[in-house]
Amino acid sequence: GAGVSQSPSNKVTEKGKDVELRCDPISGHTALYWYRQSLGQGLEFLIYFQGNSAPDKSGLPSDRFSAERTGGSVSTLTIQRTQQEDSAVYLCASSQDRGTHNEQFFGPGTRLTVL
Amino acid sequence: GNSVTQMEGPVTLSEEAFLTINCTYTATGYPSLFWYVQYPGEGLQLLLKATKADDKGSNKGFEATYRKETTSFHLEKGSVQVSDSAVYFCAATAGNKLTFGGGTRVLVKP
């Protein structure tokens, strides 16, 4: 595709429910990243994929958060037993390869609201 | 780990005014530095980047120079327009992830 796409664009859920957020990276990009943007915490790194493996999961805030990537393409971020503090915009980014100089292209984000 | 500090906003300016947004970083090694911009209702876009000391990134009239001696990457534009109203994020790479500053909201009034 032309850019990184994410779905849904908005998700409202009740506390305690599970949610899945999807990211479609730019075709051919091997690296994929999840970030979270919230009022209190700014932009935080969550997890990084190189291909289908996740060498850096250091930003996942708790074991309720997990992510996978299949076929070196689509990624899903799952939040189990959602809490109100999970409310945020979840951003996905991709880049051509790993490395510090490669530009990360961001998707429009999924706005998650936990009631 | 790395950290990025940028001036808090909001910054309110008149059209054609000079804009500076300060950004400093702490890092091990030599990170690449970035400025991202988020226009109202849109996603994050890369504005400019610099990958080594003394490099100057520039785009859309914005400039920033990678200063290793002061660990800074201040963003400047000589004459802002209303369309520059946005939130600006300074960022540094730490391995494979970006560490962001808190963002600076800029409002340009006609």
Side-chain angles (χ1 to χ4, degrees), chain A residues 25-102:
Chain A
I26 293 172
S27 178
H29 280 191
T30 59
L32 185 147
Y33 313 79
W34 283 97
Y35 295 86
R36 179 167 73 172
Q37 185 175 22
S38 56
L39 277 177
Q41 302 297 324
L43 269 157
E44 307 169 276
F45 166 82
L46 297 178
I47 187 170
Y48 153 66
F49 285 93
Q50 181 61 36
N52 291 336
S53 63
D56 189 348
K57 305 179 184 179
S58 62
L60 295 178
S62 76
D63 58 8
R64 296 187 295 105
F65 287 71
S66 63
E68 64 175 12
R69 189 179 185 195
T70 55
S73 181
V74 172
S75 176
T76 303
L77 177 69
T78 301
I79 309 173
Q80 295 179 308
R81 305 181 303 281
T82 52
Q83 303 295 311
Q84 287 183 333
E85 62 263 28
D86 299 335
S87 296
V89 177
Y90 288 82
L91 296 171
C92 176
S94 69
S95 67
Q96 278 192 316
D97 200 353
R98 58 185 170 185
T100 60
H101 304 319
N102 286 308

Side-chain angles (χ1 to χ4, degrees), chain A residues 35 99-106, chain B residues 4 6 23 25 31-37 45-51 57 64 66 73-75 88-101:
Chain A
Y35 295 86
T100 60
H101 304 319
N102 286 308
E103 175 185 350
Q104 295 184 22
F105 295 83
F106 282 80
Chain B
V4 176
Q6 61 182 103
C23 171
Y25 67 91
S32 290
L33 303 174
F34 304 83
W35 277 100
Y36 278 83
V37 59
Q45 303 173 26
L46 180 67
L47 181 59
L48 53 83
K49 70 177 184 181
T51 59
Y66 190 144
F73 193 54
H74 304 323
L75 182 69
Y88 293 82
F89 293 91
C90 185
T93 50
N96 295 291
K97 63 190 179 190
L98 286 167
T99 299
F100 288 90

